[in-house]
Amino acid sequence: MNLTTIKNKQTSKTPSFNNVKAKGEPYVWLTAMGLGVGLLMVVLLLGVIAINGISVFWPKKLVEITLTEQSDMKINGSNKIAGHISKKQIRKNGKKEWQLYVGNKDVYGFSFKFVDKDKIVSVERPKNIMSIERLEYGDAIGVPLWLKVKNVGEFAAGTKEFDRRLKTLIKGSHQLWAHIKQIEKKEIGKINRQMQSLALKKKVIGSKKEFDLVEKDKLFALDNKIELLQRDYQILAQQAQDLRVKVNEHTLGYRLVTGEEKVLPIGHIIHTVYPNKLNVWQQTKLFFYDIWHFLADDPREANTEGGVFPAIFGTFVMTVLMSMAVTPFGVLAAIYLREYAKQGLFVRCVRISVNNLAGVPSIVFGVFGLGFFIYFVGGTLDQIFFKSSLPTPTFGTGGIFWASLTLALMTVPVVIVSTEEALAAVSQGSREGSLACGASKWQTIQRVILPASAPGILTGLILAMARGAGEVAPLMLVGVVKLAPSLPLDSVAPFVHLDRKFMHLGFHIYDLGFQSPDSEAAKPMVFATTFLLIVLVVLLNLAAIIIRERLRRRYATSAF
Amino acid sequence: MFLLLDEKKTNTKRDTGQSMTIEVEKRVSTNKQELNKPFIQFKDFNFFYGAKQALFDVNLNIPEKKVTALIGPSGCGKSTLLRSVNRMNDLVDVATHTGDILVKEQSLFDPMLEVISLRKRIGMVFQKSNPFPKSIYENVIYSLRVAGCNKKSILDEAVETSLKASALWDEVKDRLHESALGLSGGQMQRLCIARAIANKPEILLMDEPCSALDPIATAKIEELIFELKNEFSIVIVTHNMQQAARVSDLTGFFLLGKLIEFGRTETLFTNPNEKETQDYITGRFG
């Protein structure tokens, strides 16, 4: 055998470099597809919500449409329609149609109108058309005619004087409204609370069968006090009433494009704007003005107008309360499971049960919260501490405290699991090092293990918060309401009112989208609120992530 | 080769186990000049991980203020022995033992003895440096903190003395309040030594303290051990025979859970009594 044959043999066995074709890795496509689909869904969902949610606030130009005389889409016999185009679509029969937001619900009885595109004669954008945001019936869209100022006179529209006067009058009415609110909510509210507590005292004394002289005196004094308060109340109520009259004494006249003329008291106007006169800068200003009022105002008109501040606040307070409840609870449980409990069958069973708890439908937690927290714990608390105010429940009814506890219960498995993982990731070396220094087990946990696992624990808390803040179903049973009269935190002692019912963004979305009488009108609010809820959850998470990153930098050994 | 030796040894040991230990004790007692009295005393100490026996009838007297090295191949039980002294093995669920360990004639397994107070008297340095995720300062005074000492003057002094004793003071004195995790490997190990001696223990246990370090860091630690033996009784477990020869006064050789030979380091390395010791130190196995 000579050298060449040997060489040949070798080449036949080992693949030569020339013959090997580079192969791709096919599964990279499969796995990438999985990620791609997920990513696409997230981007689409967030995109739709963000675009729709934000565009709600961008001021829209108004159009005045003239229809053909034969059109059957006339309103009140007029062939003119004004409003902003909210949708352009093609019907099944191939005809193009536009959806217009026409406003003026008080006159027309509806606020949206479909028109066929081929019935449109002309589309104009008149400069003098005005959009008036009102306290009731949504927006009015029309051409302003005059302004009647009491004791001063009448001003015709179209002049600088008119616009200036209108602006100051609206500003004045806002101040008056704030004053009325101050009187009605703060001062009258204070008197009401005092009267309530006096009435309770009276009830306690009155429930006895016989009273002695001292008690009679007391009753008499109470009656006197109540009478005094009653008198104060009358004065304040009269003040409020006077203000209400005053706020409505000036009026604005305007004509709809369909011909009707209307008179609107200034006190009913929130804001007026000539949308077709706005330049981009003014539009931007208005855009942020709208966003601010959406965030900071109370809702109006069955929540379909106005802002969502109470819902934001309720969601925030509930999430914070939930985190405060779930963190110690979950972390302590995880510490016991991982550090103290003897690992065995029982602990494994507990661990599996905890994991399964995460899969229980949230409404079940709601039912449990209602049955256990509200009826049992709350009812018992009422029996013991608030007996005098029964049968009106104090804690025996849904409230932010019970809602937070219910959600805490729901999210505790998340915290336990992630805390356990974080604890397990702390190296044996650190534990031994601490014990060898003469630390007790608890000192080791407290000084070495917990700080090192804090980032992992926070990860669990982030997940819990994200789940808790977005949950709606259980809340409907344990304290969320469509409209809460007061916030769970305010300036009235004891400042934190854990027994109060509250509003929640998630429930607000459900309520607007599916429970409101005019779901088309509520649609922008649904998008805006959804977007806001997402932003709120992202912000809460972001805060937690920033804290976690700081901790991570401090405790760089942690495996997370 | 190893297996063969293994078998042979178990055979011989079975017959001579008892006489062996007596011999060892005799040898120890002949070294009276350096062993005024036994400080840590192992008496017929057997140790089991579940059903597996890790130490067999260890009888060993470790003297005060000397460096005692324990050498032997991996898995011979030297670390187990070391970790028994501060009862670190309590952490192992399935661990059991028979026999006794006495420190200053007091049993470590006395039910009245609190293990925490025991560990306060015995410092330990681990194979892998394990500084806590805290500042250098807090790391050093950890044992004082857990003992409830919060007086700043005492803590400051303890930090300075221990860091000086562990030859780290000059390198870190300007950044005491920075994270200990920013130190180099050798510095971290010296920090762990500082931490172990901060509470002024009587015994310092070192479990292969240099195995993860480069030669320069190792040299520094060895120098340190030399310094520290004036104050502490040091027991060091090492894989590195040269290291044992360099730093220790006494050396014990372990094989398969048994103490084969114990004596003065020079004697053991130059003129060992046992064939296994001879084989091991000349590098024939292990």
Side-chain angles (χ1 to χ4, degrees), chain B residues 134-145 149-178 180 183 190-200 228:
Chain B
K134 296 169 182 287
S135 68
I136 295 172
Y137 187 92
E138 285 296 326
N139 258 286
V140 176
I141 55 161
Y142 185 78
S143 54
L144 280 81
R145 281 256 195 246
C149 172
N150 281 316
K151 209 168 164 202
K152 196 163 182 312
S153 55
I154 298 176
L155 296 180
D156 283 347
E157 202 198 315
V159 167
E160 190 170 341
T161 14
S162 341
L163 282 177
K164 274 182 176 158
S166 60
L168 196 59
W169 176 251
D170 291 331
E171 290 162 61
V172 301
K173 65 175 179 222
D174 300 323
R175 47 173 178 147
L176 288 176
H177 295 283
E178 284 172 33
L183 297 174
R190 274 180 285 151
L191 179 69
C192 290
I193 295 175
R195 186 176 72 191
I197 60 177
N199 205 14
K200 305 243 183 300
L228 290 174

Side-chain angles (χ1 to χ4, degrees), chain A residues 365-376:
Chain A
F365 284 100
V367 175
F368 177 80
L370 181 70
F372 179 72
F373 289 132
I374 296 180
Y375 291 158
F376 179 67

